[in-house]
Amino acid sequence: VILRGQQIYTIIQLEPSPPGLEAEYRAIFTSDSLVFLQELVSTFDGEVDKILRLRISRKTQLDLSGDLPGFCIDTASVRNDPTWRVRPVPQRLQRRHVDVGDLAPCDTERFLQALNSPAQGLQVDFDDGNCPTYPNQIKGIHNVYRAVHNQFPNAPQISQAPVLMLRPRAWNMVEHNMMVQGKETPGPLFDFGLLMFHCAKVLFHSQSGPFFYLSKVESYLEARLWNNIFLWTEQKLGLPVGSIKATVLIENVLSAFEMEEILYELRDHSAGLNCGIWDYSASFVNKLGHREAFLLPDRSKYVNMQKLFLRSYMDLLVQTCHRRGALATGGMAALLLPGDRDSAPYREALASVTRLKLLEIKAGVDGFMVYDLGLIEPMQNVICSGKLRPHGGVTLDGLKYNIAVGIQFIDAWLTGKGHFFYRGQVEDSATAEISRSQVWQWIRHRTELEDDGRAVTRRLVTELTRDVTRELREALRCRTVREEQRLTTATTMFLEVVSKRDFPEFITTYLNQDHTTHKTNHQ
């Protein structure tokens, strides 16, 4: 309820504070911040609906026509004009070689560790590495507020800390706990609006932002919408045009054909482009997966930067960015280092990450991300030293691995977590997307296993899922009836997702809208 003069407007409906977060709730949901949010959402909500409908329209057109994605004829003039460049980025973004990725700010302990790390940047993640429950969003936004306003006693001043690259949710996500004019709020506007209202001016005056990552952008029209949001927000908050800078994650086969257009739309606000390899790979299943010609092979064996499929994508991204004066950043190293630095497993893990990152450096990237904070300095030292369709098949181990990742992601989501650890690696919604996408596609095309020639069918996946669940029950040490029930629910939901007639576009949308998940996240 907003009071203006003698008139009362019931424009925003906001759920009350989760237990234990009353102080944080009051700090971020002030009357002024709610007015700002209401105006932001009211201004752009219709445009958000349009771009989501356009996504459906493009997918339908591909399905009906049988066409392949390609470069847009209508925007050829942008691609063919050699004269334009993006605006130069601020000094703190110019030499940002190693970022910490998947940093969910609701995890206060890890957030503080990252703030005190030697990383040049932090991907403060409200998207892939975060489960967007109401408590997590409130706590995460409040922790960013505390960091920016220098309220953490054991953290550096924001001007001396690694630069914060704030990553709001993607367009497919909805904030259920706030309604504006009778509609649930787009998740990215909720995150972006609160972060900007509370932090933008301090970040700008300390020459430390506001800087963003933009997830799952599928077209230059979506980039145009973000640019309009940036211009509106800068005007509202009294910031100069171009104060906001954003790195767009190219993690969709459609946006891969519109990289120049995306940079052009954001040319005053661009901090470059980033390779999101797992979401990019999953998008082939999303957009083209019903076509047998686009069968994606075992991701744990055949889909990596050493293969032409992903290497050509990274090469195009790097060349496009550098031609337009923009930064190009690589993917995230998800491997976790063993604790004993003198052990052979530690040396092997470090050598594996180094080998893959040297491929990205050779491709010309300006930086990349790591998850393990222990990889920051070794990778900084590495930087200082110096066919399109993937080939291959499907293995039994790869199928079981994908099943395990999909189930564990849903299980983690049901506990309010957006990532988990498995076999020495961090897994999040991006790896869950590619895992469940491949299982769905392999079932659809009855793909044969390299091991024994068996076809991947729903029956086989169901049988393997029983075995995997049994192993996970022991690995996760399910001790209570609630934990057993949650794992059973996660298994059932995974089988439902990979068995659907039509491919669910995003697993996070499916989980966020599903009644069981929504209810569980609020218990």
Side-chain angles (χ1 to χ4, degrees), residues 406-441:
I407 291 172
Q408 287 181 92
F409 177 76
I410 297 173
D411 183 77
W413 188 279
L414 291 172
T415 67
K417 297 176 182 176
H419 65 280
F420 62 95
F421 307 113
Y422 183 57
R423 293 189 183 179
Q425 293 199 138
V426 62
E427 306 279 357
D428 62 10
S429 73
T431 53
E433 286 288 10
I434 184 61
S435 294
R436 64 95 186 184
S437 298
Q438 290 200 308
V439 177
W440 180 91
Q441 190 186 40

Side-chain angles (χ1 to χ4, degrees), residues 442-504:
W442 295 342
I443 292 172
R444 169 61 61 90
H445 297 296
R446 297 179 60 83
T447 308
E448 291 186 358
L449 294 174
E450 288 182 352
D451 311 69
D452 53 22
R454 281 184 294 173
V456 178
T457 62
R458 180 162 64 179
R459 176 176 293 179
L460 176 61
V461 169
T462 302
E463 292 172 357
L464 292 175
T465 298
R466 292 195 194 102
D467 297 337
V468 169
T469 304
R470 205 160 32 243
E471 295 168 5
L472 290 177
R473 189 173 287 113
E474 296 177 7
L476 297 174
R477 297 175 182 172
C478 297
R479 296 189 179 92
T480 67
V481 173
R482 184 184 177 92
E483 289 172 343
E484 290 273 359
Q485 290 175 338
R486 190 177 65 235
L487 184 60
T488 300
T489 298
T491 301
T492 302
M493 293 175 72
F494 173 78
L495 286 173
E496 180 180 325
V497 169
V498 300
S499 301
K500 280 186 173 293
R501 176 181 174 86
D502 296 315
F503 180 78

Side-chain angles (χ1 to χ4, degrees), residues 236-269:
K236 278 286 180 182
L237 297 179
L239 296 172
V241 171
S243 301
I244 300 170
K245 297 296 181 186
T247 297
V248 174
L249 287 90
I250 301 298
E251 45 192 357
N252 189 282
V253 63
L254 302 183
S255 61
F257 287 94
E258 299 184 19
M259 289 191 277
E260 295 214 58
E261 292 91 329
I262 288 169
L263 287 174
Y264 182 79
E265 294 294 341
L266 286 162
R267 59 194 180 278
D268 287 335
H269 295 105

